[in-house]
Amino acid sequence: MGRAEARKAQKKGARRAKGRAGRNGKKGGIRRFFTWKKLLAYFVAVCALIVGGAIALYWYVDVPKGNPAAMEQSNVYKLSNGEVLARKGATNRESVPLSKIPLDVQHAFVAVENKNFYDDDGIDIKGTTRGILNTVMGRGKQGGSTITQQYVKNYYLGQEQTVTRKVKELIISLKVDREKDKNEILAGYLNTSFYGRNAYGIQAAARAYYGKDVDKLSIEEGAYLAALLQAPSQYDWAVAGPVGKKLALGRWNDSLNKMVEKGWLDKGKRDAMKFPTPIKPKPEPGLSGQTGYLVKAANDELLRSGMSEQELAGGGWTITLNIDPKKQAALKAAVKGEVLDKLDPEKRKADRDAQVGAASVDPKTGKVLALYGGSDFFKHYINNATREDFQPASTFKPIILAAALKDGAKTQDGLPINANTIYDGTSKRPVKGSTTAFAPPNEDDVNYGPVNVQKAMNNSVNSVFAQMAVDVGLGKVKQTAIDLGMNPKAGGFDVRPAMSLGVMGASPMEMAGIYATVDNHGKKVTPTIVKSATNNIGGKVEIKDPIGEQVLPREAADSLTSVLTGVVDEGTGSKVKNADHQVAGKTGTSDDNKSAWFTGYTPDLVTSVGMFGEGEGGKQVPLKGTAGKGRINGGDFPAEIWAAYTNKALSGASPSKFDLVEGSELESPPPTQTQTQTPPPTQT
């Protein structure tokens, strides 16, 4: 090899050496850590750490002593001024041995709650992991626990939703499953679970729902009690809405069907089974009069806020309500003076069927200041202020106009819809532009001929608002109602022209919130009865701000308020006129006279009063003949209650007038053309 060739070989060798050095430098070092062998070693090490940690936790966490005393604390309910309204929480529980619980009933619980209970290790890793992740990510509660885990949570731990509690629950459940017989665990679970109606344990539940001891329960009854555990209040047949009943029935069926799958129940026998309707609940001592309605309304709100039923029933909470004691007393006195004192149930059947519900709200804060749920919680368990099964009738008409003003809707002739828009007020006039034929009669079949929207609202002209709803768009009307606070799942809330008559279900509390939103210049108001809820170990419930976003443009809301003052000044709401305070509102009377309403407001107070005809078994019946009168209209008893209450509630307050934006308040509506008839304002 010559010198030149030797130099070339030397340079080539140097380049190779440099390349090897580079590969063995930083880049090469990183690659060394990520060979497949190393990755496998890392994985094994991590698994070893997890297993080691789990073993350490298993030995570190002991099974604590049972803590049933935690369930025996009382909840204290206070009014807004700090006055104690009620103490509730004496534990209604009688533990029974498993031998007293029919085997079929035991199987009904196991089938729907944890069908592999007799064979599992006491835990559900997948369900618990999901629950921990949901807790960490703030997604709330989610099921998935075994019967053993639920028993551990009830008896050894608590209901708080924390990662620490869930991890402890997992480990203690493993230990309990190894230390105790399955039958002992099942007995503990059935005796510590909460079933609603203040019933802890299956014996108390059997008495509360079926009026019998647990050993007399049928399979069907046991399956219903098992179904209750998922959501006791929502699934209580006596007070559940359509959705709650559907879900409860689904769980009941699921329990029985799984019993068939497991070979615990003959399919033929299962197919012949019918749902066993529970007995009516008995109110708890100390909750008579209005107290029970207030406590139940507060509890329902706390459950909607995220508190679990067992957390609430466990006791130790101080719950302060927004209820103003003076306004509460004024509302109760108004109902008594204007209605109850005039009834004679012994003499008239209609008087036995008459029910009154009312809710009063501060439109600026959303606080529920007063609530009337019925004559007595002991005598009538359903809260008339929050029930959603009666039609709001013509108190729905302002929502149609709100939808029109919100979207700048026009008539089919291309004219903007506002207070001065002229419509044909002929009774039974067929609605134009609807795929569904509809020709509603006006009250007393009165023909108004060409009439402006203001006059139509004053006199509650059905034919005008049926046409307006179609002009605006029925879907838009429903969406506006939902935005303002109506429940889209209420019965009868279908997208059809009849919607304009207010044929869906609604509650006084709900209608008070809708009108409060209008009074609050279009900012959403959600009536809130709970001011605060704290427990004796530092926990608290976050109460959502009752004042929400702008759901109706201010000019639209204020224009609607202007129109509704006309109903009071010149229309069917004339009985509520107030010398010191400007009033806006709307009467409502269902066609069959099963409900009558007045919902109205001043600048500082919104109140909705509903009167309902409720016969035997909760059947809706006409109010006609109540107190010896004929048809009961919204401008009668409901308006009279509203006026008596508002006059007392605002006594001593400075005179007030609505603060409406420029352009929303009507100067003087143009005169309408001559009507076919010129009747006095109808009371609808």
Side-chain angles (χ1 to χ4, degrees), residues 144-158:
S145 298
T146 64
I147 282 177
T148 305
Q149 286 176 266
Q150 293 178 64
Y151 166 59
V152 165
K153 181 173 63 176
N154 293 343
Y155 187 65
Y156 295 104
L157 299 172

Side-chain angles (χ1 to χ4, degrees), residues 93-116:
R93 183 197 295 113
E94 180 185 343
S95 294
V96 293
L98 195 65
S99 58
K100 191 174 181 179
I101 304 171
L103 183 61
D104 286 334
V105 173
Q106 298 176 36
H107 286 162
F109 279 82
V110 173
V112 75
E113 286 289 308
N114 179 192
K115 67 178 182 179
N116 296 318

Side-chain angles (χ1 to χ4, degrees), residues 322-354:
N322 287 318
I323 296 295
D324 181 318
K326 291 183 179 179
K327 288 183 173 62
Q328 179 67 22
L331 182 56
K332 180 181 176 181
V335 175
K336 183 178 185 298
E338 300 302 323
V339 176
L340 300 185
D341 287 348
K342 300 174 183 178
L343 301 181
D344 189 347
E346 298 296 325
K347 182 179 179 181
R348 293 180 292 265
K349 180 182 183 303
D351 290 4
R352 296 196 295 271
D353 299 334

Side-chain angles (χ1 to χ4, degrees), residues 2 16 24 42 70 139 165 222 224 245 247 362 388 401 417 443 502 508 519 526 543 566 600 631 666 668:
R16 288 176 177 173
N24 292 329
Y42 297 151
R139 293 176 180 170
R165 200 273 295 156
Y224 173 67
K245 287 185 176 180
L247 293 172
D362 182 337
E388 294 182 326
L401 182 54
I417 299 175
E443 175 77 5
D519 196 1
T526 301
I543 306 299
R631 177 181 172 86
L666 295 173
S668 56

Side-chain angles (χ1 to χ4, degrees), residues 4 213 226 237 248 256 291 307 420 473 534 537 638:
D213 289 329
W237 203 260
L256 296 174
T291 301
M307 179 186 281
N420 296 323
T534 57
I537 56 173

